Amino acid sequence: MNKEVMALKVGIVGASGYGGLELIRLLQNHPEIEQIDLFTSSEVGTVFSQKYPHLVNIHDQPMKAIEPEHISKLDTVFFSTPAGVTTKLLPPLVGAGAKLIDLSGDFRLKDQGTFEHWYQKDAPPIEHLEKSVYGLPEWNKEDIADAEVIANPGCYPTAVLLSLLPLLKNKLIDGSQLIIDAKSGISGAGNKPSQATHFSETNENFSIYKIHQHQHIPEIEQAMNTFADQPDPIMFTTHLVPMTRGIMTTSYAKVNGQVTEEQLVNCLQETYKDSPFVRILTDVQKVSTKQVYGSNYCDIHVKVDPRTNQATIIAVIDNVVKGAAGQAIQNMNIQYDLNEKTGIDIIPLWI
């Protein structure tokens, strides 16, 4: 551990969203964090614990304006903002001194045209897109360690990529006809009220949304091409489940040749033998989102149907932790040569 980076000062832009709140919860117990500043563009001076009473006597300070001269004095700044916001806020801060970790998605896609097509927003400047590093720790650790700007992966892509990249890279499954069925809890939509997340709309209901239009499709395809030399498009569908947290992705792919289930399992185990937050499940009767609830774990399970030669690859994560805040802190730990588990080595909640 690098002792020179003790007493880190960090900031959170967009602290009042679900991702921001989760960053506060995890960073509060991080042993290397000395100071957490909360920034806002619309509620400067508002005492944070007045908005969120669960933080009384924990974060009673007023929120601050987003000013480069203040942010430049921090070690790391997390941007937990809606899509399109960081595009404007982050560029002036590049080179000011702080490491910048974006959870919004604005800096994940390298092609401006692709971003604007899928997000329907103006793309960030190309020089900043080229400089940003995709923050999937299990696959991009060396680049993350030296990055000034990190594009934290999306929640769905995290589960999909961790479960499929090893099998694609080692040519064990056919990537040309991938079908990925994904389900998420309601917190994935953020805390801004809408008809889609209204209690009356979601309770006792199950819905499919953004059919063939989800903005995580190009992100998954880009990463598959980058890390596994897999250029083919995917079939990706998303569903909203009436629960607060959790993502389950179930992917279907033909195995190549005479590849066995044992080979798939061995490949996953070998790939992630040094990855503390990826657990490969064997000999289980069921897989559930509850088993990773509140934690930074990604659990993966694979089965092969010998009748169809088809593999079913399942991954579960907590969308707010491994899919957002936890993974961002994992990236920060790597940047400061800390143990990846520092501050986020949390047992999942079961009840």
Side-chain angles (χ1 to χ4, degrees):
M1 181 182 295
N2 187 345
K3 297 298 184 182
E4 295 181 359
V5 299
M6 295 293 188
L8 294 171
K9 296 178 173 64
V10 302
I12 303 172
V13 179
S16 60
Y18 291 146
L21 290 173
E22 199 70 353
L23 280 167
I24 293 171
R25 182 177 77 90
L26 297 171
L27 290 169
Q28 183 68 26
N29 295 305
H30 193 293
E32 307 300 331
I33 301 298
E34 177 188 64
Q35 174 182 322
I36 304 173
D37 288 348
L38 309 179
F39 295 94
T40 180
S41 59
S42 59
E43 298 179 277
V44 176
T46 300
V47 175
F48 200 72
S49 58
Q50 291 179 352
K51 288 177 62 70
Y52 293 100
H54 71 292
L55 294 174
V56 167
N57 295 337
I58 300 173
H59 279 280
D60 296 322
Q61 75 268 42
M63 288 187 282
K64 301 178 180 181
I66 304 167
E67 298 173 345
E69 58 268 27
H70 184 100
I71 288 179
S72 65
K73 298 176 183 177
L74 300 175
D75 296 295
T76 293
V77 180
F78 299 92
F79 293 83
S80 185
T81 54
V85 175
T86 314
T87 294
K88 299 177 177 63
L89 295 180
L90 187 145
L93 302 173
V94 175
K99 297 180 186 297
L100 310 171
I101 301 178
D102 178 37
L103 284 71
S104 76
D106 287 7
F107 292 85
R108 296 174 192 156
L109 299 179
K110 294 300 185 181
D111 182 79
Q112 288 178 305
T114 301
F115 177 88
E116 291 175 352
H117 171 77
W118 288 90
Y119 280 83
Q120 295 297 299
K121 299 178 185 297
D122 292 336
I126 188 64
E127 62 268 24
H128 296 304
L129 287 179
E130 291 174 346
K131 189 173 184 178
S132 68
V133 170
Y134 193 61
L136 191 63
E138 291 79 9
W139 285 84
N140 212 18
K141 187 178 298 185
E142 289 186 7
D143 287 345
I144 290 167
D146 297 326
E148 180 184 4
V149 179
I150 290 178
N152 218 55
C155 49
Y156 282 127
T158 296
V160 171
L161 295 170
L162 288 177
S163 59
L164 294 182
L165 283 179
L167 309 181
L168 291 169
K169 183 176 181 179
N170 289 279
K171 310 299 182 186
L172 299 179
I173 59 174
D174 181 358
S176 66
Q177 299 182 56
L178 271 176
I179 298 175
I180 304 165
D181 180 83
K183 300 174 178 65
S184 175
I186 298 168
S187 61
N191 69 351
K192 186 177 181 180
S194 70
Q195 182 176 351
T197 59
H198 194 289
F199 178 82
S200 299
E201 301 281 344
T202 58
N203 184 50
E204 298 292 342
N205 197 8
F206 188 88
S207 58
I208 186 170
Y209 67 102
K210 292 187 178 179
I211 304 171
H212 305 318
Q213 296 179 331
H214 201 285
Q215 68 273 14
H216 287 169
I217 291 173
E219 178 183 343
I220 294 169
E221 292 176 344
Q222 175 182 271
M224 285 181 172
N225 196 18
T226 299
F227 298 115
D229 192 26
Q230 169 54 48
D232 295 310
I234 59 171
M235 178 72 74
F236 178 74
T237 54
T238 53
H239 306 77
L240 192 63
V241 182
M243 62 184 184
T244 302
R245 293 174 181 245
I247 277 178
M248 176 180 286
T249 62
T250 307
S251 302
Y252 306 97
K254 284 281 187 180
V255 297
N256 286 326
Q258 301 301 311
V259 169
T260 65
E261 182 178 307
E262 182 181 11
Q263 287 176 280
L264 300 184
V265 172
N266 288 343
C267 175
L268 291 166
Q269 291 176 331
E270 178 64 23
T271 299
Y272 295 121
K273 63 183 180 181
D274 297 319
S275 300
F277 292 115
V278 179
R279 304 188 296 191
I280 310 305
L281 308 179
T282 58
D283 302 321
V284 296
Q285 297 302 311
K286 69 173 184 178
V287 182
S288 67
T289 58
K290 197 75 169 180
Q291 66 198 45
V292 295
Y293 195 95
S295 81
N296 201 53
Y297 287 108
C298 174
D299 286 0
I300 301 171
H301 182 58
V302 60
K303 296 290 288 185
V304 173
D305 184 346
R307 300 177 308 107
T308 62
N309 221 30
Q310 191 92 5
T312 301
I313 305 113
I314 304 151
V316 288
I317 64 169
D318 184 314
N319 57 292
V320 191
V321 188
K322 184 59 173 169
Q327 185 153 244
I329 295 171
Q330 187 178 353
N331 282 321
M332 182 195 74
N333 287 340
I334 292 170
Q335 287 187 303
Y336 291 105
D337 196 26
L338 298 168
N339 188 306
E340 285 182 56
K341 299 191 293 182
T342 306
I344 47 176
D345 189 14
I346 299 171
I347 294 174
L349 294 167
W350 189 253
I351 57 172

